């Protein structure tokens, strides 16, 4: 069992930046880690993923503005979000797949989810 804890969300002005963090506090360290976001109108949407060897994937909507990373020494993952616009406002979730290989941006492939952290841009 893997327990994930997200943090770093908040309210920022248009054009600002936020850095979200995801920490596996229980269980084995994930092979695939992903970030997803959810809004009432669009449902759950993929944002980015990272594999243990550093391979990353990005949704076209965030590529070039968001960066996913892993800090092995701290056993944590992060999503750096720059040039934020109001449309990225959502509840952001960290997700993990212990046995993944390609780390596709498909929600059902991920077995463990955090509680979510709210990002609001205005």
């Amino acid at each position: 069992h893997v327990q994930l804890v997200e943090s770093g969300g908040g309210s920022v002005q248009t054009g600002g930046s936020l850095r979200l963090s995801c920490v596996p506090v229980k269980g084995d360290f994930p092979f695939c880690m992903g970030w997803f976001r959810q809004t009432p109108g669009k449902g759950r949407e993929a944002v980015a993923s990272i594999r243990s060897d550093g391979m990353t994937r990005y949704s076209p909507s965030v590529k070039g503005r968001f960066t996913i990373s892993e800090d092995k020494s701290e056993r944590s993952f992060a999503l750096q979000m720059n040039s934020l616009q109001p449309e990225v406002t959502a509840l952001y979730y960290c997700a993990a797949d212990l046995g993944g290989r390609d780390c596709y941006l498909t929600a059902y492939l991920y077995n463990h989810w955090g509680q979510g952290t709210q990002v609001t841009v205005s």
Side-chain angles (χ1 to χ4, degrees):
H1 178 72
V2 175
Q3 182 177 343
L4 306 172
V5 178
E6 302 106 328
S7 63
S11 298
V12 299
Q13 294 184 334
T14 298
S17 299
L18 283 174
R19 184 178 179 86
L20 306 184
S21 177
C22 176
V23 180
V25 298
K26 185 178 181 180
D28 296 330
F29 201 68
F31 184 77
C32 297
M33 290 293 301
W35 286 96
F36 298 80
R37 62 190 179 192
Q38 184 170 321
T39 62
K42 299 181 67 175
R44 186 159 296 184
E45 177 186 26
V47 176
S49 70
I50 187 168
R51 196 166 62 191
S52 62
D53 65 352
M55 187 276 295
T56 58
R57 299 182 185 274
Y58 292 93
S59 165
S61 66
V62 306
K63 190 174 184 179
R65 296 184 297 148
F66 290 10
T67 302
I68 189 170
S69 62
E70 177 185 358
D71 187 337
K72 293 186 180 297
S73 65
E74 297 292 333
R75 292 177 56 84
S76 66
F77 301 84
L79 182 69
Q80 179 67 43
M81 305 183 293
N82 299 323
S83 302
L84 291 172
Q85 301 296 313
E87 60 264 27
V88 310
T89 294
L91 185 63
Y92 283 72
Y93 292 93
C94 175
D97 181 0
L98 299 182
R101 193 185 77 175
D102 294 317
C103 305
Y104 294 122
L105 291 173
T106 306
Y108 74 83
L109 297 176
Y110 294 81
N111 303 316
H112 308 279
W113 297 79
Q115 81 288 347
T117 184
Q118 179 67 37
V119 172
T120 301
V121 183
S122 61

